Amino acid sequence: MNLLPLPAFSDNYIWLLHDGQHAVVVDPGDAGPVQAALHAQGLQLQAILVTHHHADHVGGVDALRNATGATVYGPAYEPLPEPVVRVDAHSRIHLLGQDWQVLEVPGHTAGHIAWYCAPVDAAPLLFCGDTLFSGGCGRLFEGTAQQMYDSLQTLAALPHDTRVFCAHEYTLSNLKFACAVEPSNPALLQYRARCEALRQQQQPTLPSTLGQELAINPFLRCDVTEVAHSAHHFCSTVDPTQPASVFAALREWKNAFR
């Protein structure tokens, strides 16, 4: 499979996968970039995969469906532009010659899902919408901190070589916060320098890998002593021995961080 990041709006990525003939697109908030890529590559859109209902992820769905006849797959419990094939954690679909698994990861929204694919001859793919970002995680608009913590633990259990395709270019902002939480983490400092160089060249910082995120992302490191102590310093009621409590404090801290 070939993978293309299609920039949209100010910081979204719409991910396009194709095999030279057929294509799948993830979270098309804007139909324009997708239609341009399909035309330029001579591709037929086979499917549209949606992670959650926010407009910057579904705004282009109707136009793409109407123009191409592509099947739309989306979370079972969220309002989406119909018709949609509804999927949940029990669902498996076959696209571009590969099997795709649905992971339920509520928190950012109540019914948020992620799409996971493990090709035989390549590292797995994770399209996680707004649940996991490089160096960060999504805001809690509809779910609870415990739900988001549990969702991130679900993702953390995937193979470390899993390629992480987030839906936004938030990396540098997230890494600024991560350095405030865990300033003595050498892997974090090295990764921040690499990502800064990529952005200076106007290149995406994504995809990341799960192994990279486990090494640098504070929201996946709530059981690390320095991270727990930083969260406790931010909020004295945090129990540093309880990773979910640490996570909740980190999310509140990040909300106000500048």
Side-chain angles (χ1 to χ4, degrees):
M1 286 186 292
N2 303 290
L3 294 111
L4 300 174
L6 306 180
F9 310 118
S10 62
D11 52 35
N12 282 69
Y13 289 126
I14 301 168
W15 294 102
L16 180 75
L17 302 83
H18 71 87
D19 60 8
Q21 292 183 307
H22 300 99
V24 171
V25 68
V26 184
D27 283 350
D30 184 357
V34 180
Q35 291 170 325
L38 294 173
H39 178 74
Q41 302 272 346
L43 302 170
Q44 175 63 44
L45 188 63
Q46 179 182 14
I48 299 167
L49 306 183
V50 175
T51 63
H52 65 291
H53 67 84
H54 286 164
D56 62 324
H57 294 253
V58 301
V61 166
D62 280 336
L64 289 172
R65 183 204 294 110
N66 294 340
T68 67
T71 302
V72 182
Y73 298 88
Y77 310 112
E78 297 214 346
L80 297 171
E82 299 289 351
V84 178
V85 177
R86 300 290 181 160
V87 296
D88 59 22
H90 302 290
S91 303
R92 301 289 187 277
I93 62 174
H94 193 74
L95 296 169
L96 299 180
Q98 305 293 335
D99 291 319
W100 293 75
Q101 178 182 354
V102 176
L103 305 174
E104 293 181 358
V105 286
H108 180 68
T109 63
H112 201 299
I113 63 171
W115 293 91
Y116 178 76
C117 175
V120 173
D121 58 348
L125 314 173
L126 174 68
F127 296 89
C128 48
D130 288 357
T131 296
L132 176 65
F133 297 124
S134 187
C137 73
R139 286 179 177 265
L140 305 179
F141 287 119
E142 297 173 8
T144 66
Q146 183 67 55
Q147 283 180 312
M148 181 64 97
Y149 175 78
D150 292 340
S151 294
L152 292 176
Q153 291 303 297
T154 295
L155 300 184
L158 297 173
H160 286 196
D161 64 341
T162 299
R163 289 170 282 172
V164 179
F165 295 87
C166 316
H168 290 273
E169 183 59 75
Y170 289 165
T171 307
L172 293 187
S173 173
N174 287 335
L175 295 181
K176 181 181 178 182
F177 174 71
C179 286
V181 175
E182 197 179 8
S184 63
N185 181 342
L188 172 58
L189 299 177
Q190 182 180 31
Y191 183 62
R192 184 180 186 182
R194 189 169 79 211
C195 290
E196 287 174 344
L198 286 170
R199 294 310 291 156
Q200 287 171 2
Q201 299 167 25
Q202 297 183 318
Q203 297 296 313
T205 61
L206 304 168
S208 181
T209 67
L210 185 58
Q212 180 71 75
E213 295 308 308
L214 290 168
I216 61 91
N217 190 324
F219 295 100
L220 296 178
R221 295 171 60 80
C222 296
D223 58 346
V224 173
T225 299
E226 185 177 11
V227 174
H229 285 174
S230 291
H232 182 70
H233 181 74
F234 169 75
C235 178
S236 61
T237 61
V238 167
D239 182 349
T241 69
Q242 298 297 320
S245 176
V246 171
F247 171 83
L250 291 177
R251 187 59 265 179
E252 288 297 320
W253 186 4
K254 180 63 167 63
N255 290 347
F257 185 82
R258 295 293 181 270

mmCIF file with all atom_site columns, all heavy atoms in Angstrom, residues 82-99:
data_model
loop_
_atom_site.group_PDB
_atom_site.id
_atom_site.type_symbol
_atom_site.label_atom_id
_atom_site.label_alt_id
_atom_site.label_comp_id
_atom_site.label_asym_id
_atom_site.label_entity_id
_atom_site.label_seq_id
_atom_site.pdbx_PDB_ins_code
_atom_site.Cartn_x
_atom_site.Cartn_y
_atom_site.Cartn_z
_atom_site.occupancy
_atom_site.B_iso_or_equiv
_atom_site.pdbx_formal_charge
_atom_site.auth_seq_id
_atom_site.auth_comp_id
_atom_site.auth_asym_id
_atom_site.auth_atom_id
_atom_site.pdbx_PDB_model_num
ATOM 1   N N   . GLU A 1 82 ? -25.337 9.837   6.732  1.00 0.00 ? 82 GLU A N   1
ATOM 2   C CA  . GLU A 1 82 ? -25.790 8.540   6.211  1.00 0.00 ? 82 GLU A CA  1
ATOM 3   C C   . GLU A 1 82 ? -25.809 8.530   4.675  1.00 0.00 ? 82 GLU A C   1
ATOM 4   O O   . GLU A 1 82 ? -25.894 9.587   4.051  1.00 0.00 ? 82 GLU A O   1
ATOM 5   C CB  . GLU A 1 82 ? -27.192 8.233   6.750  1.00 0.00 ? 82 GLU A CB  1
ATOM 6   C CG  . GLU A 1 82 ? -27.283 8.128   8.259  1.00 0.00 ? 82 GLU A CG  1
ATOM 7   C CD  . GLU A 1 82 ? -26.611 6.880   8.832  1.00 0.00 ? 82 GLU A CD  1
ATOM 8   O OE1 . GLU A 1 82 ? -26.217 6.002   8.037  1.00 0.00 ? 82 GLU A OE1 1
ATOM 9   O OE2 . GLU A 1 82 ? -26.496 6.802   10.064 1.00 0.00 ? 82 GLU A OE2 1
ATOM 10  N N   . PRO A 1 83 ? -25.730 7.331   4.056  1.00 0.00 ? 83 PRO A N   1
ATOM 11  C CA  . PRO A 1 83 ? -25.664 6.004   4.681  1.00 0.00 ? 83 PRO A CA  1
ATOM 12  C C   . PRO A 1 83 ? -24.245 5.637   5.116  1.00 0.00 ? 83 PRO A C   1
ATOM 13  O O   . PRO A 1 83 ? -23.275 5.980   4.445  1.00 0.00 ? 83 PRO A O   1
ATOM 14  C CB  . PRO A 1 83 ? -26.139 5.073   3.563  1.00 0.00 ? 83 PRO A CB  1
ATOM 15  C CG  . PRO A 1 83 ? -25.738 5.776   2.305  1.00 0.00 ? 83 PRO A CG  1
ATOM 16  C CD  . PRO A 1 83 ? -25.888 7.242   2.582  1.00 0.00 ? 83 PRO A CD  1
ATOM 17  N N   . VAL A 1 84 ? -24.169 4.923   6.253  1.00 0.00 ? 84 VAL A N   1
ATOM 18  C CA  . VAL A 1 84 ? -22.890 4.509   6.830  1.00 0.00 ? 84 VAL A CA  1
ATOM 19  C C   . VAL A 1 84 ? -22.996 3.047   7.263  1.00 0.00 ? 84 VAL A C   1
ATOM 20  O O   . VAL A 1 84 ? -23.998 2.664   7.875  1.00 0.00 ? 84 VAL A O   1
ATOM 21  C CB  . VAL A 1 84 ? -22.523 5.372   8.062  1.00 0.00 ? 84 VAL A CB  1
ATOM 22  C CG1 . VAL A 1 84 ? -21.219 4.895   8.686  1.00 0.00 ? 84 VAL A CG1 1
ATOM 23  C CG2 . VAL A 1 84 ? -22.430 6.833   7.693  1.00 0.00 ? 84 VAL A CG2 1
ATOM 24  N N   . VAL A 1 85 ? -21.979 2.262   6.961  1.00 0.00 ? 85 VAL A N   1
ATOM 25  C CA  . VAL A 1 85 ? -21.875 0.922   7.526  1.00 0.00 ? 85 VAL A CA  1
ATOM 26  C C   . VAL A 1 85 ? -21.305 1.074   8.924  1.00 0.00 ? 85 VAL A C   1
ATOM 27  O O   . VAL A 1 85 ? -20.164 1.534   9.096  1.00 0.00 ? 85 VAL A O   1
ATOM 28  C CB  . VAL A 1 85 ? -20.974 0.012   6.673  1.00 0.00 ? 85 VAL A CB  1
ATOM 29  C CG1 . VAL A 1 85 ? -20.815 -1.362  7.334  1.00 0.00 ? 85 VAL A CG1 1
ATOM 30  C CG2 . VAL A 1 85 ? -21.536 -0.127  5.266  1.00 0.00 ? 85 VAL A CG2 1
ATOM 31  N N   . ARG A 1 86 ? -22.089 0.737   9.929  1.00 0.00 ? 86 ARG A N   1
ATOM 32  C CA  . ARG A 1 86 ? -21.689 0.956   11.319 1.00 0.00 ? 86 ARG A CA  1
ATOM 33  C C   . ARG A 1 86 ? -20.797 -0.187  11.809 1.00 0.00 ? 86 ARG A C   1
ATOM 34  O O   . ARG A 1 86 ? -21.094 -1.362  11.574 1.00 0.00 ? 86 ARG A O   1
ATOM 35  C CB  . ARG A 1 86 ? -22.925 1.058   12.208 1.00 0.00 ? 86 ARG A CB  1
ATOM 36  C CG  . ARG A 1 86 ? -23.849 2.215   11.820 1.00 0.00 ? 86 ARG A CG  1
ATOM 37  C CD  . ARG A 1 86 ? -23.220 3.554   12.135 1.00 0.00 ? 86 ARG A CD  1
ATOM 38  N NE  . ARG A 1 86 ? -24.085 4.673   11.799 1.00 0.00 ? 86 ARG A NE  1
ATOM 39  C CZ  . ARG A 1 86 ? -23.953 5.896   12.317 1.00 0.00 ? 86 ARG A CZ  1
ATOM 40  N NH1 . ARG A 1 86 ? -22.984 6.125   13.202 1.00 0.00 ? 86 ARG A NH1 1
ATOM 41  N NH2 . ARG A 1 86 ? -24.760 6.871   11.959 1.00 0.00 ? 86 ARG A NH2 1
ATOM 42  N N   . VAL A 1 87 ? -19.721 0.175   12.509 1.00 0.00 ? 87 VAL A N   1
ATOM 43  C CA  . VAL A 1 87 ? -18.753 -0.822  12.967 1.00 0.00 ? 87 VAL A CA  1
ATOM 44  C C   . VAL A 1 87 ? -18.446 -0.611  14.444 1.00 0.00 ? 87 VAL A C   1
ATOM 45  O O   . VAL A 1 87 ? -18.578 0.491   14.979 1.00 0.00 ? 87 VAL A O   1
ATOM 46  C CB  . VAL A 1 87 ? -17.444 -0.759  12.147 1.00 0.00 ? 87 VAL A CB  1
ATOM 47  C CG1 . VAL A 1 87 ? -17.699 -1.113  10.687 1.00 0.00 ? 87 VAL A CG1 1
ATOM 48  C CG2 . VAL A 1 87 ? -16.795 0.620   12.259 1.00 0.00 ? 87 VAL A CG2 1
ATOM 49  N N   . ASP A 1 88 ? -18.015 -1.714  15.088 1.00 0.00 ? 88 ASP A N   1
ATOM 50  C CA  . ASP A 1 88 ? -17.593 -1.648  16.483 1.00 0.00 ? 88 ASP A CA  1
ATOM 51  C C   . ASP A 1 88 ? -16.431 -2.608  16.681 1.00 0.00 ? 88 ASP A C   1
ATOM 52  O O   . ASP A 1 88 ? -15.838 -3.096  15.707 1.00 0.00 ? 88 ASP A O   1
ATOM 53  C CB  . ASP A 1 88 ? -18.761 -1.949  17.426 1.00 0.00 ? 88 ASP A CB  1
ATOM 54  C CG  . ASP A 1 88 ? -19.372 -3.330  17.195 1.00 0.00 ? 88 ASP A CG  1
ATOM 55  O OD1 . ASP A 1 88 ? -18.688 -4.211  16.623 1.00 0.00 ? 88 ASP A OD1 1
ATOM 56  O OD2 . ASP A 1 88 ? -20.534 -3.537  17.593 1.00 0.00 ? 88 ASP A OD2 1
ATOM 57  N N   . ALA A 1 89 ? -16.096 -2.877  17.931 1.00 0.00 ? 89 ALA A N   1
ATOM 58  C CA  . ALA A 1 89 ? -14.913 -3.681  18.231 1.00 0.00 ? 89 ALA A CA  1
ATOM 59  C C   . ALA A 1 89 ? -15.014 -5.109  17.721 1.00 0.00 ? 89 ALA A C   1
ATOM 60  O O   . ALA A 1 89 ? -13.997 -5.811  17.653 1.00 0.00 ? 89 ALA A O   1
ATOM 61  C CB  . ALA A 1 89 ? -14.652 -3.685  19.735 1.00 0.00 ? 89 ALA A CB  1
ATOM 62  N N   . HIS A 1 90 ? -16.191 -5.553  17.354 1.00 0.00 ? 90 HIS A N   1
ATOM 63  C CA  . HIS A 1 90 ? -16.371 -6.905  16.827 1.00 0.00 ? 90 HIS A CA  1
ATOM 64  C C   . HIS A 1 90 ? -16.252 -6.952  15.304 1.00 0.00 ? 90 HIS A C   1
ATOM 65  O O   . HIS A 1 90 ? -16.330 -8.025  14.714 1.00 0.00 ? 90 HIS A O   1
ATOM 66  C CB  . HIS A 1 90 ? -17.730 -7.461  17.246 1.00 0.00 ? 90 HIS A CB  1
ATOM 67  C CG  . HIS A 1 90 ? -17.934 -7.493  18.731 1.00 0.00 ? 90 HIS A CG  1
ATOM 68  N ND1 . HIS A 1 90 ? -17.250 -8.351  19.561 1.00 0.00 ? 90 HIS A ND1 1
ATOM 69  C CD2 . HIS A 1 90 ? -18.732 -6.734  19.532 1.00 0.00 ? 90 HIS A CD2 1
ATOM 70  C CE1 . HIS A 1 90 ? -17.635 -8.143  20.820 1.00 0.00 ? 90 HIS A CE1 1
ATOM 71  N NE2 . HIS A 1 90 ? -18.530 -7.171  20.830 1.00 0.00 ? 90 HIS A NE2 1
ATOM 72  N N   . SER A 1 91 ? -16.062 -5.778  14.677 1.00 0.00 ? 91 SER A N   1
ATOM 73  C CA  . SER A 1 91 ? -16.087 -5.698  13.218 1.00 0.00 ? 91 SER A CA  1
ATOM 74  C C   . SER A 1 91 ? -14.714 -5.962  12.610 1.00 0.00 ? 91 SER A C   1
ATOM 75  O O   . SER A 1 91 ? -13.679 -5.575  13.167 1.00 0.00 ? 91 SER A O   1
ATOM 76  C CB  . SER A 1 91 ? -16.566 -4.310  12.781 1.00 0.00 ? 91 SER A CB  1
ATOM 77  O OG  . SER A 1 91 ? -17.836 -4.014  13.321 1.00 0.00 ? 91 SER A OG  1
ATOM 78  N N   . ARG A 1 92 ? -14.719 -6.618  11.466 1.00 0.00 ? 92 ARG A N   1
ATOM 79  C CA  . ARG A 1 92 ? -13.540 -6.799  10.636 1.00 0.00 ? 92 ARG A CA  1
ATOM 80  C C   . ARG A 1 92 ? -13.967 -6.519  9.203  1.00 0.00 ? 92 ARG A C   1
ATOM 81  O O   . ARG A 1 92 ? -15.016 -6.992  8.764  1.00 0.00 ? 92 ARG A O   1
ATOM 82  C CB  . ARG A 1 92 ? -12.985 -8.224  10.733 1.00 0.00 ? 92 ARG A CB  1
ATOM 83  C CG  . ARG A 1 92 ? -12.579 -8.663  12.128 1.00 0.00 ? 92 ARG A CG  1
ATOM 84  C CD  . ARG A 1 92 ? -11.318 -7.949  12.602 1.00 0.00 ? 92 ARG A CD  1
ATOM 85  N NE  . ARG A 1 92 ? -10.841 -8.489  13.866 1.00 0.00 ? 92 ARG A NE  1
ATOM 86  C CZ  . ARG A 1 92 ? -11.309 -8.132  15.051 1.00 0.00 ? 92 ARG A CZ  1
ATOM 87  N NH1 . ARG A 1 92 ? -12.289 -7.227  15.122 1.00 0.00 ? 92 ARG A NH1 1
ATOM 88  N NH2 . ARG A 1 92 ? -10.829 -8.649  16.162 1.00 0.00 ? 92 ARG A NH2 1
ATOM 89  N N   . ILE A 1 93 ? -13.155 -5.757  8.473  1.00 0.00 ? 93 ILE A N   1
ATOM 90  C CA  . ILE A 1 93 ? -13.452 -5.515  7.066  1.00 0.00 ? 93 ILE A CA  1
ATOM 91  C C   . ILE A 1 93 ? -12.199 -5.778  6.245  1.00 0.00 ? 93 ILE A C   1
ATOM 92  O O   . ILE A 1 93 ? -11.079 -5.754  6.777  1.00 0.00 ? 93 ILE A O   1
ATOM 93  C CB  . ILE A 1 93 ? -13.995 -4.092  6.816  1.00 0.00 ? 93 ILE A CB  1
ATOM 94  C CG1 . ILE A 1 93 ? -12.970 -3.028  7.206  1.00 0.00 ? 93 ILE A CG1 1
ATOM 95  C CG2 . ILE A 1 93 ? -15.296 -3.864  7.564  1.00 0.00 ? 93 ILE A CG2 1
ATOM 96  C CD1 . ILE A 1 93 ? -13.415 -1.620  6.834  1.00 0.00 ? 93 ILE A CD1 1
ATOM 97  N N   . HIS A 1 94 ? -12.391 -6.023  4.952  1.00 0.00 ? 94 HIS A N   1
ATOM 98  C CA  . HIS A 1 94 ? -11.287 -6.351  4.048  1.00 0.00 ? 94 HIS A CA  1
ATOM 99  C C   . HIS A 1 94 ? -11.199 -5.256  2.988  1.00 0.00 ? 94 HIS A C   1
ATOM 100 O O   . HIS A 1 94 ? -12.153 -5.070  2.217  1.00 0.00 ? 94 HIS A O   1
ATOM 101 C CB  . HIS A 1 94 ? -11.528 -7.712  3.406  1.00 0.00 ? 94 HIS A CB  1
ATOM 102 C CG  . HIS A 1 94 ? -10.326 -8.261  2.708  1.00 0.00 ? 94 HIS A CG  1
ATOM 103 N ND1 . HIS A 1 94 ? -9.232  -8.785  3.370  1.00 0.00 ? 94 HIS A ND1 1
ATOM 104 C CD2 . HIS A 1 94 ? -10.042 -8.368  1.370  1.00 0.00 ? 94 HIS A CD2 1
ATOM 105 C CE1 . HIS A 1 94 ? -8.335  -9.203  2.495  1.00 0.00 ? 94 HIS A CE1 1
ATOM 106 N NE2 . HIS A 1 94 ? -8.799  -8.964  1.278  1.00 0.00 ? 94 HIS A NE2 1
ATOM 107 N N   . LEU A 1 95 ? -10.085 -4.520  2.980  1.00 0.00 ? 95 LEU A N   1
ATOM 108 C CA  . LEU A 1 95 ? -9.887  -3.427  2.043  1.00 0.00 ? 95 LEU A CA  1
ATOM 109 C C   . LEU A 1 95 ? -8.461  -3.443  1.523  1.00 0.00 ? 95 LEU A C   1
ATOM 110 O O   . LEU A 1 95 ? -7.522  -3.717  2.276  1.00 0.00 ? 95 LEU A O   1
ATOM 111 C CB  . LEU A 1 95 ? -10.155 -2.079  2.721  1.00 0.00 ? 95 LEU A CB  1
ATOM 112 C CG  . LEU A 1 95 ? -11.577 -1.811  3.223  1.00 0.00 ? 95 LEU A CG  1
ATOM 113 C CD1 . LEU A 1 95 ? -11.591 -0.556  4.091  1.00 0.00 ? 95 LEU A CD1 1
ATOM 114 C CD2 . LEU A 1 95 ? -12.537 -1.664  2.042  1.00 0.00 ? 95 LEU A CD2 1
ATOM 115 N N   . LEU A 1 96 ? -8.288  -3.151  0.246  1.00 0.00 ? 96 LEU A N   1
ATOM 116 C CA  . LEU A 1 96 ? -6.970  -3.098  -0.384 1.00 0.00 ? 96 LEU A CA  1
ATOM 117 C C   . LEU A 1 96 ? -6.172  -4.374  -0.118 1.00 0.00 ? 96 LEU A C   1
ATOM 118 O O   . LEU A 1 96 ? -4.963  -4.337  0.084  1.00 0.00 ? 96 LEU A O   1
ATOM 119 C CB  . LEU A 1 96 ? -6.182  -1.868  0.092  1.00 0.00 ? 96 LEU A CB  1
ATOM 120 C CG  . LEU A 1 96 ? -6.800  -0.498  -0.215 1.00 0.00 ? 96 LEU A CG  1
ATOM 121 C CD1 . LEU A 1 96 ? -5.909  0.608   0.311  1.00 0.00 ? 96 LEU A CD1 1
ATOM 122 C CD2 . LEU A 1 96 ? -7.054  -0.331  -1.712 1.00 0.00 ? 96 LEU A CD2 1
ATOM 123 N N   . GLY A 1 97 ? -6.862  -5.489  -0.078 1.00 0.00 ? 97 GLY A N   1
ATOM 124 C CA  . GLY A 1 97 ? -6.201  -6.766  0.129  1.00 0.00 ? 97 GLY A CA  1
ATOM 125 C C   . GLY A 1 97 ? -5.769  -7.040  1.549  1.00 0.00 ? 97 GLY A C   1
ATOM 126 O O   . GLY A 1 97 ? -5.029  -7.997  1.799  1.00 0.00 ? 97 GLY A O   1
ATOM 127 N N   . GLN A 1 98 ? -6.232  -6.216  2.497  1.00 0.00 ? 98 GLN A N   1
ATOM 128 C CA  . GLN A 1 98 ? -5.814  -6.347  3.887  1.00 0.00 ? 98 GLN A CA  1
ATOM 129 C C   . GLN A 1 98 ? -7.031  -6.423  4.802  1.00 0.00 ? 98 GLN A C   1
ATOM 130 O O   . GLN A 1 98 ? -8.095  -5.883  4.488  1.00 0.00 ? 98 GLN A O   1
ATOM 131 C CB  . GLN A 1 98 ? -4.940  -5.145  4.311  1.00 0.00 ? 98 GLN A CB  1
ATOM 132 C CG  . GLN A 1 98 ? -3.735  -4.891  3.436  1.00 0.00 ? 98 GLN A CG  1
ATOM 133 C CD  . GLN A 1 98 ? -2.690  -5.981  3.520  1.00 0.00 ? 98 GLN A CD  1
ATOM 134 O OE1 . GLN A 1 98 ? -2.603  -6.700  4.527  1.00 0.00 ? 98 GLN A OE1 1
ATOM 135 N NE2 . GLN A 1 98 ? -1.891  -6.129  2.479  1.00 0.00 ? 98 GLN A NE2 1
ATOM 136 N N   . ASP A 1 99 ? -6.834  -7.070  5.940  1.00 0.00 ? 99 ASP A N   1
ATOM 137 C CA  . ASP A 1 99 ? -7.872  -7.118  6.967  1.00 0.00 ? 99 ASP A CA  1
ATOM 138 C C   . ASP A 1 99 ? -7.714  -5.937  7.921  1.00 0.00 ? 99 ASP A C   1
ATOM 139 O O   . ASP A 1 99 ? -6.602  -5.652  8.380  1.00 0.00 ? 99 ASP A O   1
ATOM 140 C CB  . ASP A 1 99 ? -7.788  -8.436  7.740  1.00 0.00 ? 99 ASP A CB  1
ATOM 141 C CG  . ASP A 1 99 ? -8.184  -9.625  6.882  1.00 0.00 ? 99 ASP A CG  1
ATOM 142 O OD1 . ASP A 1 99 ? -9.152  -9.501  6.117  1.00 0.00 ? 99 ASP A OD1 1
ATOM 143 O OD2 . ASP A 1 99 ? -7.518  -10.670 6.973  1.00 0.00 ? 99 ASP A OD2 1
#
